[in-house]
Amino acid sequence: MPESKDPDEQFMKAALREALAAYERDEVPVGAVVVRDGRIIARGHNQRELLKDPTAHAEMIALTSAAEASESWRLDDCDLYVTLEPCPMCAGALVNARVRRLIYGATDPKAGACGSLFNLVQDRRLNHRMEMRAGVLEEDCSMLLREFFRAKRKTDPVE
């Protein structure tokens, strides 16, 4: 299969590598990268278990790192790629950071706030809206999550 020339797919592959790093640390495998001018400036993956922090989602870690690299909380010239549709907390952070564009892989029908349950990132009542593209490498992103939870059910059976 030829390598994709779609830059969104290339950056989503980088986010998938971050998700794999989370998977290898027994974290829910979600990964994110922040891109400015065609270059990754920040990376993140879920670290809730490691940090014992409910806010340690991939997006939050990547946004914090991007703000540090930019020396500004305003990321209006940045795009965020994440393997799973952001939750309300992360979607709110994307709006507050003024992210230009959100690109995500798998939808999250139970907690997604970018189209599934809500669409915070494009809500006209808020002070910022962003472009969004859903479903980039969706099957790859979904498969990693399915495998993680399948393995979890085998090792941690419900009693």
Side-chain angles (χ1 to χ4, degrees):
M1 176 184 273
E3 188 69 21
S4 172
K5 294 199 188 307
D6 179 353
D8 286 348
E9 288 187 8
Q10 294 304 310
F11 289 123
M12 188 61 73
K13 286 178 183 177
L16 273 163
R17 287 190 290 277
E18 288 297 314
L20 189 56
Y23 185 99
E24 290 169 351
R25 291 170 178 84
D26 204 30
E27 297 273 359
V28 175
V30 177
V33 297
V34 178
V35 174
R36 174 188 290 132
D37 297 327
R39 194 172 68 76
I40 294 172
I41 64 164
R43 299 171 186 274
H45 57 267
N46 276 1
Q47 296 183 46
R48 292 190 307 172
E49 300 298 332
L50 174 70
L51 300 176
K52 309 289 187 256
D53 179 354
T55 69
H57 290 199
E59 302 95 320
M60 301 297 278
I61 291 167
L63 286 174
T64 299
S65 180
E68 192 174 297
S70 301
E71 298 182 345
S72 174
W73 61 267
R74 287 182 182 87
L75 302 175
D76 55 355
D77 58 349
C78 295
D79 304 331
L80 183 124
Y81 292 79
V82 63
T83 57
L84 181 65
E85 178 183 358
C87 71
M89 173 184 69
C90 294
L94 291 168
V95 170
N96 284 326
R98 313 294 197 266
V99 168
R100 175 178 54 201
R101 204 167 156 246
L102 165 66
I103 303 89
Y104 69 84
T107 58
D108 186 349
K110 293 182 179 179
C114 301
S116 289
L117 298 178
F118 316 101
N119 190 349
L120 291 177
V121 299
Q122 294 182 326
D123 191 319
R124 294 209 172 277
R125 296 170 294 178
L126 298 176
N127 64 331
H128 176 74
R129 288 165 298 286
M130 66 197 67
E131 289 180 48
M132 182 174 63
R133 181 178 176 196
V136 175
L137 300 182
E138 182 172 15
E139 185 52 39
D140 295 334
C141 296
S142 296
M143 184 176 63
L144 189 57
L145 287 159
R146 279 193 308 269
E147 177 53 37
F148 175 81
F149 287 112
R150 185 178 300 124
K152 275 285 184 205
R153 284 190 295 277
K154 286 181 183 175
T155 60
D156 301 330
V158 178
E159 296 178 22

